[in-house]
Amino acid sequence: MILINSFVGVLSGQEITPQMVLIKDVDIQQVIFQFVLNGWLHSMNGLLIIFIVAWFFKERTVSLLLLGFMVIAVFPTINMGGWLPLGLNSMGYITGHWRDLYKITGILSFYIFVEVIVILYLFRRKNMNFY
């Protein structure tokens, strides 16, 4: 993908220079924070949600349908207000205010906390104790 983008850029007369154009008040720390931390939290949410659904439903079709729903739910028109832990790792959420990034981190962390509790309950129900 990087090679294709670079090739198309060179063909259209663009220079290949490491350059980053941001909103006026956005610094590189916010971009790294959103990409690394919130990106990792977002990936963990997706994995835990799929694990929980796969544990409940043994049919693979349900997991496939869930993946399809998760792809559609990433769109901002579906997830207005960020009530689902999907698509919150987008760079479009960087506004220049740290509180917006911390809010996303809090939402993703809360969902991970709830998902871990559900997984521990599922393990306990199957007599899988960790002590």
Side-chain angles (χ1 to χ4, degrees):
M1 193 66 143
I2 293 172
L3 293 175
I4 292 171
N5 283 337
S6 299
F7 182 69
V8 170
V10 168
L11 286 180
S12 65
Q14 301 292 323
E15 295 181 20
I16 300 180
T17 56
Q19 188 178 45
M20 193 166 170
V21 179
L22 300 172
I23 300 172
K24 183 178 179 182
D25 295 331
V26 174
D27 55 355
I28 192 71
Q29 289 85 8
Q30 290 177 337
V31 174
I32 292 171
F33 182 88
Q34 178 70 358
F35 181 74
V36 174
L37 182 65
N38 288 341
W40 183 80
L41 290 173
H42 182 266
S43 298
M44 289 303 300
N45 266 298
L47 288 172
L48 292 175
I49 290 170
I50 290 173
F51 178 82
I52 291 169
V53 169
W55 189 282
F56 271 122
F57 304 101
K58 302 301 181 200
E59 295 181 26
R60 294 180 185 166
T61 317
V62 177
S63 295
L64 186 61
L65 290 172
L66 174 70
L67 282 173
F69 170 75
M70 289 171 67
V71 167
I72 292 172
V74 166
F75 295 122
T77 54
I78 305 294
N79 194 16
M80 289 181 135
W83 56 277
L84 290 173
L86 305 168
L88 295 178
N89 63 333
S90 169
M91 291 297 164
Y93 286 106
I94 299 176
T95 61
H97 302 288
W98 279 99
R99 70 177 177 271
D100 296 332
L101 298 179
Y102 292 147
K103 176 185 171 191
I104 291 170
T105 304
I107 291 169
L108 293 171
S109 299
F110 172 76
Y111 274 103
I112 287 177
F113 177 73
V114 170
E115 292 159 4
V116 167
I117 289 174
V118 169
I119 289 172
L120 290 175
Y121 171 75
L122 291 174
F123 285 165
R124 188 144 306 180
R125 215 172 77 180
K126 288 279 188 178
N127 293 327
M128 297 173 70
N129 293 324
F130 300 99
Y131 49 85

PDB file of all heavy atoms in Angstrom, residues 21-45:
ATOM      1  N   VAL A  21       1.229  17.170   7.927  1.00  0.00           N
ATOM      2  CA  VAL A  21       0.365  18.342   8.004  1.00  0.00           C
ATOM      3  C   VAL A  21      -0.731  18.025   9.009  1.00  0.00           C
ATOM      4  O   VAL A  21      -1.471  17.064   8.869  1.00  0.00           O
ATOM      5  CB  VAL A  21      -0.238  18.674   6.631  1.00  0.00           C
ATOM      6  CG1 VAL A  21      -1.142  19.879   6.737  1.00  0.00           C
ATOM      7  CG2 VAL A  21       0.851  18.897   5.615  1.00  0.00           C
ATOM      8  N   LEU A  22      -0.805  18.832  10.043  1.00  0.00           N
ATOM      9  CA  LEU A  22      -1.750  18.588  11.116  1.00  0.00           C
ATOM     10  C   LEU A  22      -2.646  19.799  11.333  1.00  0.00           C
ATOM     11  O   LEU A  22      -2.395  20.875  10.818  1.00  0.00           O
ATOM     12  CB  LEU A  22      -1.007  18.299  12.426  1.00  0.00           C
ATOM     13  CG  LEU A  22      -0.079  17.088  12.430  1.00  0.00           C
ATOM     14  CD1 LEU A  22       0.721  17.057  13.698  1.00  0.00           C
ATOM     15  CD2 LEU A  22      -0.876  15.820  12.287  1.00  0.00           C
ATOM     16  N   ILE A  23      -3.652  19.609  12.125  1.00  0.00           N
ATOM     17  CA  ILE A  23      -4.475  20.727  12.575  1.00  0.00           C
ATOM     18  C   ILE A  23      -3.563  21.638  13.396  1.00  0.00           C
ATOM     19  O   ILE A  23      -2.598  21.190  14.015  1.00  0.00           O
ATOM     20  CB  ILE A  23      -5.653  20.203  13.419  1.00  0.00           C
ATOM     21  CG1 ILE A  23      -6.508  19.249  12.584  1.00  0.00           C
ATOM     22  CG2 ILE A  23      -6.501  21.338  13.952  1.00  0.00           C
ATOM     23  CD1 ILE A  23      -7.585  18.538  13.373  1.00  0.00           C
ATOM     24  N   LYS A  24      -3.883  22.877  13.447  1.00  0.00           N
ATOM     25  CA  LYS A  24      -3.006  23.884  14.055  1.00  0.00           C
ATOM     26  C   LYS A  24      -2.530  23.510  15.459  1.00  0.00           C
ATOM     27  O   LYS A  24      -1.361  23.621  15.775  1.00  0.00           O
ATOM     28  CB  LYS A  24      -3.737  25.224  14.085  1.00  0.00           C
ATOM     29  CG  LYS A  24      -2.927  26.344  14.614  1.00  0.00           C
ATOM     30  CD  LYS A  24      -3.715  27.639  14.573  1.00  0.00           C
ATOM     31  CE  LYS A  24      -2.891  28.772  15.132  1.00  0.00           C
ATOM     32  NZ  LYS A  24      -3.610  30.020  15.171  1.00  0.00           N
ATOM     33  N   ASP A  25      -3.427  23.043  16.321  1.00  0.00           N
ATOM     34  CA  ASP A  25      -3.067  22.791  17.716  1.00  0.00           C
ATOM     35  C   ASP A  25      -2.666  21.349  18.001  1.00  0.00           C
ATOM     36  O   ASP A  25      -2.491  20.981  19.155  1.00  0.00           O
ATOM     37  CB  ASP A  25      -4.239  23.161  18.630  1.00  0.00           C
ATOM     38  CG  ASP A  25      -4.536  24.651  18.588  1.00  0.00           C
ATOM     39  OD1 ASP A  25      -3.608  25.432  18.344  1.00  0.00           O
ATOM     40  OD2 ASP A  25      -5.705  25.022  18.796  1.00  0.00           O
ATOM     41  N   VAL A  26      -2.528  20.511  16.984  1.00  0.00           N
ATOM     42  CA  VAL A  26      -2.197  19.109  17.196  1.00  0.00           C
ATOM     43  C   VAL A  26      -0.689  18.939  17.147  1.00  0.00           C
ATOM     44  O   VAL A  26      -0.032  19.396  16.212  1.00  0.00           O
ATOM     45  CB  VAL A  26      -2.863  18.215  16.130  1.00  0.00           C
ATOM     46  CG1 VAL A  26      -2.412  16.780  16.256  1.00  0.00           C
ATOM     47  CG2 VAL A  26      -4.369  18.306  16.238  1.00  0.00           C
ATOM     48  N   ASP A  27      -0.150  18.278  18.168  1.00  0.00           N
ATOM     49  CA  ASP A  27       1.275  17.972  18.139  1.00  0.00           C
ATOM     50  C   ASP A  27       1.485  16.479  17.912  1.00  0.00           C
ATOM     51  O   ASP A  27       0.557  15.681  17.982  1.00  0.00           O
ATOM     52  CB  ASP A  27       1.979  18.451  19.410  1.00  0.00           C
ATOM     53  CG  ASP A  27       1.364  17.907  20.680  1.00  0.00           C
ATOM     54  OD1 ASP A  27       0.340  17.227  20.589  1.00  0.00           O
ATOM     55  OD2 ASP A  27       1.922  18.162  21.757  1.00  0.00           O
ATOM     56  N   ILE A  28       2.713  16.111  17.646  1.00  0.00           N
ATOM     57  CA  ILE A  28       3.029  14.733  17.280  1.00  0.00           C
ATOM     58  C   ILE A  28       2.751  13.767  18.429  1.00  0.00           C
ATOM     59  O   ILE A  28       2.428  12.604  18.194  1.00  0.00           O
ATOM     60  CB  ILE A  28       4.490  14.628  16.780  1.00  0.00           C
ATOM     61  CG1 ILE A  28       4.750  13.275  16.112  1.00  0.00           C
ATOM     62  CG2 ILE A  28       5.475  14.850  17.908  1.00  0.00           C
ATOM     63  CD1 ILE A  28       4.073  13.121  14.801  1.00  0.00           C
ATOM     64  N   GLN A  29       2.837  14.230  19.681  1.00  0.00           N
ATOM     65  CA  GLN A  29       2.552  13.359  20.823  1.00  0.00           C
ATOM     66  C   GLN A  29       1.097  12.880  20.803  1.00  0.00           C
ATOM     67  O   GLN A  29       0.808  11.738  21.164  1.00  0.00           O
ATOM     68  CB  GLN A  29       2.851  14.063  22.156  1.00  0.00           C
ATOM     69  CG  GLN A  29       4.321  14.273  22.426  1.00  0.00           C
ATOM     70  CD  GLN A  29       4.860  15.540  21.797  1.00  0.00           C
ATOM     71  OE1 GLN A  29       4.109  16.358  21.272  1.00  0.00           O
ATOM     72  NE2 GLN A  29       6.169  15.701  21.831  1.00  0.00           N
ATOM     73  N   GLN A  30       0.182  13.735  20.393  1.00  0.00           N
ATOM     74  CA  GLN A  30      -1.225  13.348  20.314  1.00  0.00           C
ATOM     75  C   GLN A  30      -1.432  12.302  19.226  1.00  0.00           C
ATOM     76  O   GLN A  30      -2.206  11.360  19.408  1.00  0.00           O
ATOM     77  CB  GLN A  30      -2.101  14.566  20.052  1.00  0.00           C
ATOM     78  CG  GLN A  30      -2.178  15.503  21.227  1.00  0.00           C
ATOM     79  CD  GLN A  30      -2.992  16.747  20.913  1.00  0.00           C
ATOM     80  OE1 GLN A  30      -3.154  17.120  19.757  1.00  0.00           O
ATOM     81  NE2 GLN A  30      -3.502  17.382  21.956  1.00  0.00           N
ATOM     82  N   VAL A  31      -0.737  12.453  18.112  1.00  0.00           N
ATOM     83  CA  VAL A  31      -0.855  11.475  17.025  1.00  0.00           C
ATOM     84  C   VAL A  31      -0.314  10.125  17.483  1.00  0.00           C
ATOM     85  O   VAL A  31      -0.940   9.079  17.268  1.00  0.00           O
ATOM     86  CB  VAL A  31      -0.121  11.974  15.765  1.00  0.00           C
ATOM     87  CG1 VAL A  31      -0.106  10.906  14.687  1.00  0.00           C
ATOM     88  CG2 VAL A  31      -0.762  13.252  15.246  1.00  0.00           C
ATOM     89  N   ILE A  32       0.834  10.131  18.134  1.00  0.00           N
ATOM     90  CA  ILE A  32       1.434   8.884  18.621  1.00  0.00           C
ATOM     91  C   ILE A  32       0.544   8.253  19.694  1.00  0.00           C
ATOM     92  O   ILE A  32       0.326   7.045  19.699  1.00  0.00           O
ATOM     93  CB  ILE A  32       2.860   9.142  19.141  1.00  0.00           C
ATOM     94  CG1 ILE A  32       3.764   9.514  17.971  1.00  0.00           C
ATOM     95  CG2 ILE A  32       3.405   7.939  19.894  1.00  0.00           C
ATOM     96  CD1 ILE A  32       5.136   9.989  18.366  1.00  0.00           C
ATOM     97  N   PHE A  33       0.014   9.074  20.603  1.00  0.00           N
ATOM     98  CA  PHE A  33      -0.879   8.578  21.651  1.00  0.00           C
ATOM     99  C   PHE A  33      -2.100   7.899  21.043  1.00  0.00           C
ATOM    100  O   PHE A  33      -2.473   6.792  21.429  1.00  0.00           O
ATOM    101  CB  PHE A  33      -1.301   9.742  22.549  1.00  0.00           C
ATOM    102  CG  PHE A  33      -2.179   9.354  23.704  1.00  0.00           C
ATOM    103  CD1 PHE A  33      -1.625   8.962  24.892  1.00  0.00           C
ATOM    104  CD2 PHE A  33      -3.569   9.392  23.590  1.00  0.00           C
ATOM    105  CE1 PHE A  33      -2.429   8.614  25.972  1.00  0.00           C
ATOM    106  CE2 PHE A  33      -4.375   9.043  24.646  1.00  0.00           C
ATOM    107  CZ  PHE A  33      -3.802   8.647  25.845  1.00  0.00           C
ATOM    108  N   GLN A  34      -2.718   8.558  20.070  1.00  0.00           N
ATOM    109  CA  GLN A  34      -3.911   8.002  19.436  1.00  0.00           C
ATOM    110  C   GLN A  34      -3.573   6.730  18.662  1.00  0.00           C
ATOM    111  O   GLN A  34      -4.299   5.743  18.731  1.00  0.00           O
ATOM    112  CB  GLN A  34      -4.548   9.041  18.505  1.00  0.00           C
ATOM    113  CG  GLN A  34      -5.756   8.568  17.759  1.00  0.00           C
ATOM    114  CD  GLN A  34      -6.978   8.363  18.627  1.00  0.00           C
ATOM    115  OE1 GLN A  34      -6.960   8.538  19.825  1.00  0.00           O
ATOM    116  NE2 GLN A  34      -8.074   7.976  18.005  1.00  0.00           N
ATOM    117  N   PHE A  35      -2.463   6.748  17.943  1.00  0.00           N
ATOM    118  CA  PHE A  35      -2.097   5.605  17.110  1.00  0.00           C
ATOM    119  C   PHE A  35      -1.680   4.405  17.951  1.00  0.00           C
ATOM    120  O   PHE A  35      -2.161   3.295  17.731  1.00  0.00           O
ATOM    121  CB  PHE A  35      -0.971   5.997  16.153  1.00  0.00           C
ATOM    122  CG  PHE A  35      -0.549   4.889  15.239  1.00  0.00           C
ATOM    123  CD1 PHE A  35      -1.357   4.514  14.176  1.00  0.00           C
ATOM    124  CD2 PHE A  35       0.636   4.223  15.440  1.00  0.00           C
ATOM    125  CE1 PHE A  35      -0.987   3.492  13.326  1.00  0.00           C
ATOM    126  CE2 PHE A  35       1.019   3.195  14.592  1.00  0.00           C
ATOM    127  CZ  PHE A  35       0.206   2.834  13.538  1.00  0.00           C
ATOM    128  N   VAL A  36      -0.819   4.618  18.933  1.00  0.00           N
ATOM    129  CA  VAL A  36      -0.259   3.497  19.696  1.00  0.00           C
ATOM    130  C   VAL A  36      -1.220   3.038  20.791  1.00  0.00           C
ATOM    131  O   VAL A  36      -1.668   1.884  20.795  1.00  0.00           O
ATOM    132  CB  VAL A  36       1.120   3.867  20.289  1.00  0.00           C
ATOM    133  CG1 VAL A  36       1.635   2.767  21.188  1.00  0.00           C
ATOM    134  CG2 VAL A  36       2.117   4.145  19.178  1.00  0.00           C
ATOM    135  N   LEU A  37      -1.541   3.907  21.734  1.00  0.00           N
ATOM    136  CA  LEU A  37      -2.331   3.480  22.893  1.00  0.00           C
ATOM    137  C   LEU A  37      -3.783   3.177  22.516  1.00  0.00           C
ATOM    138  O   LEU A  37      -4.277   2.073  22.771  1.00  0.00           O
ATOM    139  CB  LEU A  37      -2.285   4.530  24.001  1.00  0.00           C
ATOM    140  CG  LEU A  37      -3.048   4.138  25.265  1.00  0.00           C
ATOM    141  CD1 LEU A  37      -2.391   2.934  25.917  1.00  0.00           C
ATOM    142  CD2 LEU A  37      -3.142   5.286  26.214  1.00  0.00           C
ATOM    143  N   ASN A  38      -4.457   4.117  21.897  1.00  0.00           N
ATOM    144  CA  ASN A  38      -5.857   3.875  21.551  1.00  0.00           C
ATOM    145  C   ASN A  38      -5.990   2.831  20.450  1.00  0.00           C
ATOM    146  O   ASN A  38      -6.972   2.089  20.416  1.00  0.00           O
ATOM    147  CB  ASN A  38      -6.546   5.180  21.162  1.00  0.00           C
ATOM    148  CG  ASN A  38      -6.783   6.067  22.373  1.00  0.00           C
ATOM    149  OD1 ASN A  38      -6.760   5.605  23.507  1.00  0.00           O
ATOM    150  ND2 ASN A  38      -6.995   7.339  22.132  1.00  0.00           N
ATOM    151  N   GLY A  39      -5.019   2.745  19.575  1.00  0.00           N
ATOM    152  CA  GLY A  39      -5.026   1.681  18.568  1.00  0.00           C
ATOM    153  C   GLY A  39      -4.905   0.314  19.203  1.00  0.00           C
ATOM    154  O   GLY A  39      -5.604  -0.633  18.818  1.00  0.00           O
ATOM    155  N   TRP A  40      -4.021   0.192  20.210  1.00  0.00           N
ATOM    156  CA  TRP A  40      -3.870  -1.083  20.904  1.00  0.00           C
ATOM    157  C   TRP A  40      -5.128  -1.428  21.699  1.00  0.00           C
ATOM    158  O   TRP A  40      -5.590  -2.571  21.671  1.00  0.00           O
ATOM    159  CB  TRP A  40      -2.659  -1.035  21.834  1.00  0.00           C
ATOM    160  CG  TRP A  40      -2.425  -2.330  22.517  1.00  0.00           C
ATOM    161  CD1 TRP A  40      -1.826  -3.437  22.012  1.00  0.00           C
ATOM    162  CD2 TRP A  40      -2.812  -2.669  23.858  1.00  0.00           C
ATOM    163  NE1 TRP A  40      -1.811  -4.448  22.954  1.00  0.00           N
ATOM    164  CE2 TRP A  40      -2.413  -3.998  24.095  1.00  0.00           C
ATOM    165  CE3 TRP A  40      -3.469  -1.974  24.873  1.00  0.00           C
ATOM    166  CZ2 TRP A  40      -2.644  -4.641  25.295  1.00  0.00           C
ATOM    167  CZ3 TRP A  40      -3.695  -2.617  26.067  1.00  0.00           C
ATOM    168  CH2 TRP A  40      -3.284  -3.933  26.274  1.00  0.00           C
ATOM    169  N   LEU A  41      -5.686  -0.453  22.396  1.00  0.00           N
ATOM    170  CA  LEU A  41      -6.918  -0.693  23.152  1.00  0.00           C
ATOM    171  C   LEU A  41      -8.059  -1.100  22.218  1.00  0.00           C
ATOM    172  O   LEU A  41      -8.864  -1.976  22.548  1.00  0.00           O
ATOM    173  CB  LEU A  41      -7.307   0.554  23.958  1.00  0.00           C
ATOM    174  CG  LEU A  41      -6.417   0.906  25.147  1.00  0.00           C
ATOM    175  CD1 LEU A  41      -6.827   2.258  25.727  1.00  0.00           C
ATOM    176  CD2 LEU A  41      -6.470  -0.164  26.199  1.00  0.00           C
ATOM    177  N   HIS A  42      -8.128  -0.476  21.065  1.00  0.00           N
ATOM    178  CA  HIS A  42      -9.158  -0.819  20.086  1.00  0.00           C
ATOM    179  C   HIS A  42      -8.989  -2.256  19.604  1.00  0.00           C
ATOM    180  O   HIS A  42      -9.958  -3.013  19.492  1.00  0.00           O
ATOM    181  CB  HIS A  42      -9.086   0.160  18.917  1.00  0.00           C
ATOM    182  CG  HIS A  42     -10.127  -0.072  17.881  1.00  0.00           C
ATOM    183  ND1 HIS A  42      -9.900  -0.846  16.774  1.00  0.00           N
ATOM    184  CD2 HIS A  42     -11.405   0.364  17.786  1.00  0.00           C
ATOM    185  CE1 HIS A  42     -10.996  -0.875  16.039  1.00  0.00           C
ATOM    186  NE2 HIS A  42     -11.912  -0.148  16.632  1.00  0.00           N
ATOM    187  N   SER A  43      -7.760  -2.661  19.324  1.00  0.00           N
ATOM    188  CA  SER A  43      -7.503  -4.038  18.891  1.00  0.00           C
ATOM    189  C   SER A  43      -7.868  -5.034  19.983  1.00  0.00           C
ATOM    190  O   SER A  43      -8.462  -6.084  19.702  1.00  0.00           O
ATOM    191  CB  SER A  43      -6.032  -4.207  18.519  1.00  0.00           C
ATOM    192  OG  SER A  43      -5.700  -3.375  17.444  1.00  0.00           O
ATOM    193  N   MET A  44      -7.534  -4.716  21.216  1.00  0.00           N
ATOM    194  CA  MET A  44      -7.871  -5.611  22.334  1.00  0.00           C
ATOM    195  C   MET A  44      -9.380  -5.743  22.487  1.00  0.00           C
ATOM    196  O   MET A  44      -9.886  -6.829  22.763  1.00  0.00           O
ATOM    197  CB  MET A  44      -7.246  -5.106  23.642  1.00  0.00           C
ATOM    198  CG  MET A  44      -5.754  -5.248  23.710  1.00  0.00           C
ATOM    199  SD  MET A  44      -5.195  -6.943  23.467  1.00  0.00           S
ATOM    200  CE  MET A  44      -6.001  -7.782  24.792  1.00  0.00           C
ATOM    201  N   ASN A  45     -10.112  -4.638  22.327  1.00  0.00           N
ATOM    202  CA  ASN A  45     -11.575  -4.700  22.401  1.00  0.00           C
ATOM    203  C   ASN A  45     -12.133  -5.634  21.351  1.00  0.00           C
ATOM    204  O   ASN A  45     -12.994  -6.465  21.646  1.00  0.00           O
ATOM    205  CB  ASN A  45     -12.174  -3.297  22.222  1.00  0.00           C
ATOM    206  CG  ASN A  45     -12.428  -2.620  23.526  1.00  0.00           C
ATOM    207  OD1 ASN A  45     -13.206  -3.095  24.334  1.00  0.00           O
ATOM    208  ND2 ASN A  45     -11.761  -1.502  23.744  1.00  0.00           N
TER     209      ASN A  45
END
